[in-house]
Amino acid sequence: MSARRVRSPGDAVGDGLALVVLTGVAAVVLVVADDVWRPGRTLTGFLAPMPLLVPVYGPVISVVAAVALVLAGCVWFRARRAGPAWSLAAAAVAVLDAAALVAITLPVADVVTTTVRAGGSIDPLSAVALPQRTVRAPDLRTVFTTTAEGTPLHLSVWRPTTGTASPGDPDPAAIADPAAAPVIVWVHGGGWVGGTDLGQAAALTRWADRGWLVVSVEYGLDAPGHPTWDTAGPQVACALGRVASDAAALGGDPGRIVLGGDSAGGQLAVSVAYHAASHTQPSSCGAPVPVPRAVAVEYPAVDLVDGYEHGARSPVPQFDARWLAATYTGGSPAQVPERYRAISGTAALTPQAPPTLVVGAGRDSLVPLPGLQRFVAAARAGGVDATLVTVPFADHAFDVVDGSLGAQAASSVLRAWAAGRVGAP
């Protein structure tokens, strides 16, 4: 008969330290989860300004919580022979770690489920590892027009490449046969006061990896005392016309253009596409403005009055919804109501407007979700094929970290929807 191993003082010290550490991990995860479920209501409040908690760090925190639970189970298994007190303590820590795992994993699962139901896909390894992708420079970057002050405005082009790269994979090296590739024209965000055509290069090259001709466009930025509400749209329209005329030479199909954008760029994309459909969109270069086949946008500022009244307030102007709206338009909704109407998503609503996908953030502080819901409802009522996909537990710009859960959710849903509208793979 084998002798039973005697539990040494060192075992007790080791198990005690392990239980203390695992209790601390569970406590931290539960505080994080409390901020997720009840934003801004944690005891410390220090997690409230973290809008990327679930879309970026959620999968990583879930893995940490899962490892802690496994270790807690191992300590409980060892502690069973040390008496009921140790066994109960270890079991209590294991239950605490299990609660932490459930509390943080449910929001992550909600994002994944929403993405899959909307036609997108998630690579779990990339969502956890957050790989740093080498950004491929555009194949072509050229000036398509200038502002009234003479500032050059660029458009960047990425030609379609072979293969179907997964998130985190290196870019395919070979250039595919470019015949009749669908085209995505992207308008960058930045609150109309910042951003460039190169700002979304990592996300946009994923479209090129899947056979799209990708074009990212600039527009004139505003500044205090220099509103651009009436010039940025015509500049985007000029770029759209330029893309349509040059698409065939670049390897794209001018009849299969999708116009997209995020935040401020989403507002411009919707406005230009809808006005083009109603033949009321001017171009800064006088060229004809084509009507895109579809519009695919992320958290677009299509209801600026709602953003002005209910958006985030911040001492940093670039994060203050009221400052951004007033700088873009030159005043408040009470001072220049006609300007707010002119740039709203509903200003040019007609049944001829292109099919539209809006990907919104469930907890958007800059572009409140109710404004997007009202816009999509108005578009549907007006005869437009409009769809709203809301990413839960997400705030504005939740997709900024390439390869993250939020970035995969937004980009995969946009691509899948757009592909269905233009017949892309």
Side-chain angles (χ1 to χ4, degrees), residues 192 228-234 267-276 278 280-282 301-305 328-329 333 336-349 375:
W192 307 281
T228 56
W229 67 276
D230 57 342
T231 58
Q267 177 269 319
L268 287 166
V270 169
S271 180
V272 169
Y274 283 22
H275 279 96
S278 62
T280 57
Q281 177 59 58
V302 289
D303 189 342
L304 222 55
V305 173
Y328 182 48
T329 61
V336 287
E338 73 287 349
R339 297 182 183 182
Y340 281 79
R341 282 194 297 270
I343 60 177
S344 72
T346 57
L349 263 178
F375 162 68

Side-chain angles (χ1 to χ4, degrees), residues 6-392:
V6 178
R7 183 175 170 83
S8 69
D11 291 336
V13 171
D15 288 345
L17 288 175
L19 291 178
V20 169
V21 171
L22 295 173
T23 300
V25 171
V28 171
V29 174
L30 285 171
V31 169
V32 170
D34 180 64
D35 195 73
V36 170
W37 289 101
R38 304 187 303 164
R41 287 188 280 181
T42 57
L43 292 177
T44 62
F46 72 94
L47 291 172
M50 295 182 66
L52 306 181
L53 212 52
V54 171
V56 176
Y57 304 111
V60 179
I61 299 172
S62 292
V63 170
V64 171
V67 172
L69 176 59
V70 171
L71 293 178
C74 293
V75 174
W76 171 80
F77 185 79
R78 280 169 48 88
R80 289 184 306 164
R81 63 173 176 264
W86 273 101
S87 181
L88 285 174
V93 172
V95 170
L96 194 64
D97 280 305
L101 175 61
V102 171
I104 194 63
T105 301
L106 284 178
V108 172
D110 199 1
V111 175
V112 174
T113 302
T114 299
T115 302
V116 173
R117 285 178 176 172
S121 60
I122 299 295
D123 176 359
L125 181 60
S126 177
V128 172
L130 300 177
Q132 296 299 311
R133 176 184 172 96
T134 301
V135 178
R136 177 159 61 91
D139 299 303
L140 171 68
R141 189 170 190 245
T142 185
V143 174
F144 69 92
T145 191
T146 60
T147 65
E149 297 76 27
T151 303
L153 298 178
H154 298 86
L155 58 79
S156 292
V157 178
W158 288 269
R159 291 190 175 92
T161 56
T162 58
T164 54
S166 298
D169 288 349
D171 289 300
I175 299 297
D177 179 2
V183 183
I184 175 70
V185 178
W186 193 262
V187 189
H188 69 81
W192 307 281
V193 74
T196 73
D197 55 309
L198 299 175
Q200 292 277 9
L204 292 176
T205 51
R206 296 194 187 280
W207 291 75
D209 291 345
R210 288 158 176 80
W212 290 73
L213 175 67
V214 179
V215 184
S216 180
V217 304
E218 278 188 314
Y219 49 90
L221 301 177
D222 64 29
H226 179 63
T228 56
W229 67 276
D230 57 342
T231 58
Q235 290 159 357
V236 171
C238 172
L240 185 62
R242 172 75 176 272
V243 172
S245 63
D246 294 348
L250 293 171
D253 183 348
R256 293 195 294 161
I257 295 176
V258 176
L259 184 58
D262 59 296
S263 193
Q267 177 269 319
L268 287 166
V270 169
S271 180
V272 169
Y274 283 22
H275 279 96
S278 62
H279 307 291
T280 57
Q281 177 59 58
S283 168
S284 64
C285 53
V289 183
V291 181
R293 284 273 294 274
V295 177
V297 290
E298 300 177 74
Y299 37 83
V302 289
D303 189 342
L304 222 55
V305 173
D306 185 63
Y308 186 94
E309 294 176 347
H310 302 110
R313 301 289 178 263
S314 172
V316 180
Q318 289 78 5
F319 297 103
D320 187 275
R322 182 170 295 181
W323 183 88
L324 290 170
T327 303
Y328 182 48
T329 61
S332 68
Q335 293 168 326
V336 287
E338 73 287 349
R339 297 182 183 182
Y340 281 79
R341 282 194 297 270
I343 60 177
S344 72
T346 57
L349 263 178
T350 64
Q352 290 72 42
T356 302
L357 170 68
V358 176
V359 176
R363 293 178 176 174
D364 202 319
S365 56
L366 276 178
V367 179
L369 184 62
L372 298 183
Q373 293 170 330
R374 287 191 294 270
F375 162 68
V376 171
R380 289 174 176 168
V384 181
D385 176 10
T387 302
L388 173 63
V389 174
T390 303
V391 179

